[in-house]
Amino acid sequence: RYFLVGSNPAETKYRVLKIDRTEPKDLVIIDDKHVYTQQEVRELLGRLDLGNRTKIGQKGSSGLSRAVSAFGVVGFVRFLEGYYIVLITKRRKMADIGGHAIYKIEDTNMIYIPNDSVRVTHPDEARYLRIFQNVDLSSNFYFSYSYDLSHSLQYNLTVLRMPLETLKTETTQTRQESFDIFEDEGLSTQGGSGVFGICSKPYEKYVWNGRLLEAVKDSVHRDWLLYIIHGFCGQSKLLIYGRPIYVTLIARRSSRFAGTRFLKRGANCEGDVANEVETEQILYDASVMSFSAGSYSSYVQVRGSVPLYWSQDISTMMPKPPITLDQADPFAHVAALHFDQMLQRFGSPIIILNLVKEREKRKHERILSEELVAAVTYLNQFLPPEHAIIYIPWDMAKYTKSKLCNVLDRLNVIAESVVKKTGFFVNRPDSYCSILRPDEKWNELGGCVVSTGRLQTGVLRTNCVDCLDRTNTAQFMVGKCALAYQLYSLGLIDKPNLQFDTDAVRLFEELYEDHGDTLSLQYGGSQLVHRVKTYRKIAPWTQHSKDIMQTLSRYYSNAFSDADRQDSINLFLGVFKPTEGKPHLWELPTDFYLHHKNTLSLTQTRRSYTYWWTSSVLKHLPLPFDEVTCAKNRRKLTVKKFHKYEEEIDIHNEFFRPYELSSFDETFCLAMTNSTRDFMPKNVGIDPSPFTVRKPDETGKSVLGNKSSREETVLQRKTAASAPPPPSEEAVSSSSEDDSGTDKEDEGAVSQRSTPVKVTDTGDNTKLTENAVQSTKDVYGVNLSDVPSEDDLTIYARFVQLGQSQHKQDKSSQQFCLKHNLDKVINL
């Protein structure tokens, strides 16, 4: 037997699972429904140890040995032999939402369950195991013990605010079916000291280990089931005069029709699209960590492939294979299924921002635009006008090449109109700042205003062809606009708008770039090629060579490694199940029929071509049907009663862990990215506000982007000054090859570019270096060994030459000149 012993975080309650190892192919798990105390579980394990020793009284051989310590069960999987159990053996805290910790899986362990004595070996088992382990669970898989990551914050907090009377009636109905017997735990006699809690079923589309838990979800207690999402999770702290505001970004990747770039395009027959990702930005005041008393706000947007039957043939080995429409769909059947799902989850309006090219010499991307327009036009005929799908086409690639058009300004206009239509979620009534400092934009805001706050109704769906580079920049601009409204609604800024080159926007931009890079690696095989700085036209010149490398990396990945990754995703998600006597996964010429169920069986009922939505969904619009209180949705909820002093509902014990020895250095809230420490310039002086526009050269990280290595940082700092100032200032422009250190007023003086330092003799080298070192120590007091450069000698010489050639009058002016020129030389 294997005995799986699980505990709550406070280690006061334990449950035990018994796994039978004598079955060669079946999974036999017995859930002991009793809740043990620490003393009881020790006694149980002691008895098992004593009773299973080879000889009674023999101390050397134990009857019970610990196989592994873990933080959770990912699931159970079987190929052609017996079952494996997948356990999380290492985790790292990535975010905190209202005291609920979100962890990233760092390492896992697969253990074969059946004993060697009953094992029936199969020659292909090892190959399936290798393919399964090709899905790296340590890269961007996230879980939480107490927070439902598959749902949005709006859903979680809306469900939590259901009236108490409803909960009490639900409790009496589900008491007989529930695993927990309140009488055994002494709760029924407590009268008013009980606390009601709700547990909702996860949204299966974003759960990646659903198939792995299928074998046990009906036979074990729900506390054993740990649902995992795939995508991105990042959190940063925005300090507003000492007030901690946590900005969190969570991206949930869909587990349906999932795969790699060229192998999964368009949609399947059930309306699930490739590369569908739901991105949610959550903002809350961390000084009050309670869902009921704190201030929380969120905004959700979606990206996904164009919902049509289309694909690209990669056998031609071209960087951009031709786009082909696979099936004629005159009644937009697949698009109807997709938008029906979106209306059910998000409500109306559904806004499509299509960034695909509109004008091309040879039809490529335009094929998709034309088909999507036709599909949306057809579907909108039958929807009520107030709930019609809004379609916004904008050829972002064309505008980027134009020198007259500012791409981000245009995106900002689109973002404002989108956020006004959908609104955003906030769990408290409007702050008094909207009355004291009224803003005209605030009154035009859409969404749904309720007594407890505001709800987001509808969603923006952004797409280009790959849904990677252009899409990420567009989503960032919409997110930046929504962030301003969120800050304004919590009373933190006086007007709902944020400017570039402020600490707050730099922090938010870095979060979005990490988010874009992560999703791009998962789907395309490389990081982002075009970033926000590329479209702002302030990217350093070193970025161009990086872009070329990312393009090559993406091409290599698509050509050579994507097929193996697709096989492993199909196996991990249970799309393909190995069966004796049937073709193996590596023998299939295509996985098309695995993802399109209608190729294997005909559906009994055909959907209407005109009434293409689910009838119950339309009744409740603009509200999303999933959040409406109705009998169908109540069946997804489980109600549980706790004692009010239990650890599970005591947020102080959960968050601060008073029974553990901890150090401040390891505390997550101190280690996370901080706007004051990481983004605010050290010479900030009297203005520490994160909403003040700074010059690009005032802080390192604003222009640097990534914080990878010191050499890269220095290299980028050399080009940092070539960035143009923010739009609010006068533009002193220079091209990316030009050096901003060349002052135009010094044209009569010695030019940096026209007089390079010529060093010919070795003796001169030494002499020049010694002179440079001495002059610098005398005048500027700088340790030259700290000046980073590829050619220190040239830097030293030019540094001294610039200082001494321009001012020879007195030491103070010389000191000023050297100080002024050190940065200029480093920029060269």
Side-chain angles (χ1 to χ4, degrees):
R1 307 276 186 280
Y2 273 134
F3 288 91
L4 201 58
V5 181
S7 77
N8 62 347
E11 297 183 6
T12 55
K13 287 183 172 184
Y14 291 81
R15 291 185 181 276
V16 178
L17 277 186
K18 187 165 72 173
I19 305 172
D20 190 355
R21 300 187 66 202
T22 59
E23 289 289 337
K25 290 202 173 181
D26 295 332
L27 184 64
V28 179
I29 291 187
I30 299 160
D31 186 2
D32 187 346
K33 293 173 185 168
H34 183 67
V35 180
Y36 294 88
T37 62
Q38 195 173 51
Q39 185 61 33
E40 286 172 344
V41 87
R42 278 182 186 160
E43 289 172 4
L44 173 70
L45 296 177
R47 286 200 302 273
L48 288 169
D49 181 32
L50 193 62
N52 286 285
R53 286 184 184 168
T54 49
K55 290 180 183 177
I56 296 173
Q58 186 178 347
K59 291 183 181 176
S61 61
S62 173
L64 193 69
S65 60
R66 177 176 293 195
V68 67
S69 295
F71 293 105
V73 181
V74 176
F76 299 84
V77 64
R78 177 177 173 270
F79 309 121
L80 295 166
E81 294 181 14
Y83 274 90
Y84 297 81
I85 181 171
V86 188
L87 297 166
I88 301 165
T89 52
K90 198 175 175 187
R91 68 181 186 187
R92 181 156 59 99
K93 190 172 178 181
M94 294 301 291
D96 186 275
I97 300 177
H100 299 271
I102 296 170
Y103 297 98
K104 176 179 181 284
I105 298 176
E106 291 278 288
D107 200 8
T108 54
N109 194 354
M110 276 184 82
I111 298 174
Y112 188 64
I113 292 174
N115 200 301
D116 288 341
S117 59
V118 297
R119 183 168 188 169
V120 181
T121 56
H122 194 285
D124 294 315
E125 179 77 5
R127 187 165 180 182
Y128 274 117
L129 184 60
R130 268 200 314 276
I131 293 172
F132 182 85
Q133 290 175 330
N134 221 9
V135 172
D136 186 6
L137 279 166
S138 64
S139 65
N140 312 116
F141 284 86
Y142 303 90
F143 69 93
S144 174
Y145 299 112
S146 51
Y147 182 80
D148 187 354
L149 283 171
S150 66
H151 282 293
S152 64
L153 182 78
Q154 176 170 314
Y155 177 90
N156 288 335
L157 294 195
T158 307
V159 167
L160 283 176
R161 292 213 166 178
M162 281 178 68
L164 190 61
E165 294 72 27
T166 314
L167 297 185
K168 285 180 178 173
T169 54
E170 293 289 322
T171 311
T172 52
Q173 291 168 14
T174 57
R175 184 176 291 190
Q176 288 78 19
E177 306 162 17
S178 177
F179 257 126
D180 298 290
I181 301 157
F182 298 126
E183 287 76 8
D184 285 0
E185 298 182 19
L187 290 179
S188 58
T189 57
Q190 297 296 329
S193 65
V195 176
F196 289 94
I198 309 177
C199 177
S200 173
K201 282 185 181 174
Y203 194 67
E204 291 175 6
K205 187 177 195 174
Y206 298 117
V207 173
W208 274 63
N209 63 334
R211 293 290 175 91
L212 302 179
L213 292 172
E214 250 181 13
V216 296
K217 70 178 182 184
D218 297 326
S219 57
V220 302
H221 189 272
R222 62 176 173 271
D223 287 351
W224 289 107
L225 306 177
L226 195 64
Y227 294 103
I228 288 166
I229 67 161
H230 183 37
F232 173 79
C233 179
Q235 188 171 54
S236 297
K237 185 192 291 185
L238 184 65
L239 272 176
I240 304 176
Y241 297 108
R243 189 174 177 184
I245 307 298
Y246 286 4
V247 182
T248 315
L249 206 60
I250 298 174
R252 309 173 183 92
R253 186 177 283 285
S254 170
S255 62
R256 296 176 185 168
F257 205 51
T260 52
R261 186 180 172 208
F262 285 128
L263 298 175
K264 286 290 157 282
R265 292 298 212 188
N268 65 4
C269 63
E270 294 171 354
D272 303 308
V273 296
N275 197 23
E276 185 170 8
V277 185
E278 183 182 296
T279 300
E280 180 180 22
Q281 60 190 58
I282 298 172
L283 188 83
Y284 75 95
D285 188 342
S287 51
V288 183
M289 280 196 170
S290 160
F291 279 147
S292 53
S295 305
Y296 291 81
S297 176
S298 80
Y299 183 76
V300 178
Q301 46 186 326
V302 176
R303 67 171 70 177
S305 192
V306 181
L308 306 165
Y309 289 121
W310 66 279
S311 62
Q312 284 178 282
D313 181 17
I314 54 168
S315 60
T316 53
M317 294 292 285
M318 292 167 61
K320 285 187 177 179
I323 290 171
T324 54
L325 294 170
D326 298 332
Q327 290 183 38
D329 194 5
F331 299 106
H333 177 68
V334 66
L337 288 167
H338 178 67
F339 291 122
D340 186 28
Q341 283 180 21
M342 294 192 75
L343 287 171
Q344 184 162 335
R345 181 157 171 86
F346 303 108
S348 72
I350 303 295
I351 305 168
I352 303 169
L353 176 56
N354 185 21
L355 304 173
V356 169
K357 291 177 185 174
E358 297 284 336
R359 294 181 181 176
E360 295 171 303
K361 291 177 183 174
R362 288 178 56 202
K363 257 195 183 186
H364 181 62
E365 295 184 13
R366 202 173 79 196
I367 298 169
L368 299 176
S369 285
E370 290 170 357
E371 284 294 314
L372 186 58
V373 169
V376 172
T377 309
Y378 173 80
L379 297 175
N380 273 342
Q381 294 177 82
F382 312 107
L383 275 176
E386 65 273 17
H387 303 310
I389 300 165
I390 300 168
Y391 178 78
I392 305 171
W394 190 57
D395 189 342
M396 190 167 168
K398 186 186 85 173
Y399 278 87
T400 307
K401 291 171 186 171
S402 165
K403 291 183 180 178
L404 301 173
C405 175
N406 187 322
V407 174
L408 297 189
D409 282 355
R410 174 67 181 140
L411 275 175
N412 198 44
V413 173
I414 295 171
E416 284 283 353
S417 67
V418 164
V419 177
K420 277 182 186 174
K421 287 185 177 75
T422 61
F424 59 95
F425 169 72
V426 63
N427 75 328
R428 50 176 281 177
D430 287 349
S431 179
Y432 283 114
C433 73
S434 57
I435 300 165
L436 297 172
R437 298 188 292 269
D439 191 276
E440 55 196 26
K441 292 198 293 184
W442 186 252
N443 300 324
E444 300 168 10
L445 201 60
C448 183
V449 181
V450 291
S451 58
T452 53
R454 289 178 172 269
L455 298 177
Q456 178 181 342
T457 59
V459 74
L460 172 71
R461 183 196 191 280
T462 313
N463 72 270
C464 51
V465 175
D466 293 330
C467 307
L468 297 180
D469 301 1
R470 285 173 271 177
T471 300
N472 200 67
T473 302
Q475 284 197 328
F476 163 73
M477 288 303 294
V478 176
K480 171 177 163 287
C481 177
L483 182 71
Y485 279 100
Q486 289 174 285
L487 288 163
Y488 180 76
S489 72
L490 300 181
L492 299 169
I493 53 176
D494 57 350
K495 285 186 179 177
N497 50 22
L498 290 172
Q499 289 182 301
F500 276 108
D501 297 308
T502 58
D503 298 343
V505 173
R506 281 177 187 135
L507 177 140
F508 190 63
E509 184 184 332
E510 186 177 88
L511 265 180
Y512 252 97
E513 295 225 330
D514 288 349
H515 157 268
D517 281 339
T518 306
L519 297 180
S520 186
L521 274 167
Q522 290 164 15
Y523 184 64
S526 77
Q527 293 183 333
L528 289 173
V529 175
H530 302 300
R531 302 169 180 275
V532 177
K533 291 181 185 62
T534 313
Y535 292 105
R536 284 187 75 194
K537 298 182 178 165
I538 64 166
W541 60 269
T542 52
Q543 190 64 45
H544 300 305
S545 58
K546 276 189 184 175
D547 291 350
I548 294 165
M549 289 308 298
Q550 297 297 355
T551 308
L552 291 173
S553 168
R554 192 176 286 184
Y555 176 65
Y556 174 84
S557 176
N558 299 154
F560 299 108
S561 61
D562 276 6
D564 293 336
R565 286 173 60 209
Q566 184 66 58
D567 282 349
S568 51
I569 289 170
N570 289 343
L571 189 63
F572 184 86
L573 291 173
V575 177
F576 176 86
K577 291 180 182 174
T579 313
E580 193 68 56
K582 289 194 176 179
H584 293 301
L585 181 59
W586 51 88
E587 293 172 352
L588 300 177
T590 175
D591 65 349
F592 181 84
Y593 73 92
L594 297 175
H595 292 273
H596 294 77
K597 299 293 191 307
N598 61 356
T599 56
L600 296 176
S601 61
L602 291 170
T603 52
Q604 296 299 317
T605 55
R606 174 167 285 188
R607 289 173 70 94
S608 168
Y609 290 140
T610 53
Y611 296 99
W612 52 266
W613 54 85
T614 308
S615 57
S616 52
V617 170
L618 205 63
K619 291 177 191 171
H620 300 284
L621 290 180
L623 288 173
F625 176 73
D626 284 353
E627 292 167 22
V628 174
T629 308
C630 64
K632 186 180 177 183
N633 285 339
R634 271 191 208 142
R635 283 196 290 273
K636 298 176 187 172
L637 305 177
T638 311
V639 182
K640 189 176 176 183
K641 190 177 180 184
F642 295 91
H643 194 281
K644 67 178 178 181
Y645 297 118
E646 282 187 277
E647 294 84 0
E648 285 150 287
I649 60 166
D650 186 350
I651 197 167
H652 182 273
N653 276 348
E654 176 75 30
F655 190 72
F656 292 103
R657 314 294 285 267
Y659 48 85
E660 277 185 10
L661 180 65
S662 55
S663 69
F664 279 128
D665 295 337
E666 296 165 2
T667 307
F668 168 73
C669 55
L670 293 180
M672 76 164 89
T673 308
N674 189 313
S675 65
T676 304
R677 184 181 63 225
D678 299 322
F679 292 91
M680 192 165 71
K682 301 296 174 276
N683 58 345
V684 70
I686 57 170
D687 191 5
S689 166
F691 307 113
T692 303
V693 177
R694 321 255 187 223
K695 292 178 183 176
D697 56 348
E698 271 190 340
T699 177
K701 203 164 188 185
S702 64
V703 189
L704 302 187
N706 287 337
K707 43 187 188 283
S708 51
S709 62
R710 186 165 180 241
E711 291 78 26
E712 189 179 342
T713 303
V714 170
L715 194 61
Q716 287 184 323
R717 191 163 65 222
K718 291 178 188 177
T719 57
S722 66
S728 56
E729 302 175 10
E730 289 197 23
V732 182
S733 62
S734 64
S735 68
S736 57
E737 290 100 6
D738 201 355
D739 295 307
S740 63
T742 310
D743 292 331
K744 298 206 172 172
E745 62 266 28
D746 290 340
E747 282 175 2
V750 184
S751 167
Q752 297 177 14
R753 188 172 291 228
S754 58
T755 54
V757 179
K758 293 180 182 176
V759 181
T760 49
D761 195 1
T762 352
D764 292 341
N765 278 2
T766 322
K767 195 174 177 184
L768 186 55
T769 310
E770 285 171 2
N771 290 343
V773 170
Q774 192 55 45
S775 302
T776 314
K777 282 184 178 174
D778 291 345
V779 179
Y780 196 38
V782 172
N783 184 2
L784 287 172
S785 61
D786 293 337
V787 177
S789 169
E790 296 170 7
D791 187 354
D792 288 341
L793 179 63
T794 313
I795 290 264
Y796 301 161
R798 191 171 295 185
F799 171 70
V800 174
Q801 187 183 14
L802 282 169
Q804 293 179 344
S805 64
Q806 293 174 10
H807 293 274
K808 295 183 180 177
Q809 293 85 0
D810 60 347
K811 202 165 185 177
S812 62
S813 61
Q814 198 178 49
Q815 180 177 356
F816 169 78
C817 185
L818 284 169
K819 193 170 184 179
H820 179 64
N821 281 321
L822 178 62
D823 292 327
K824 291 208 288 187
V825 174
I826 289 176
N827 286 332
L828 292 178

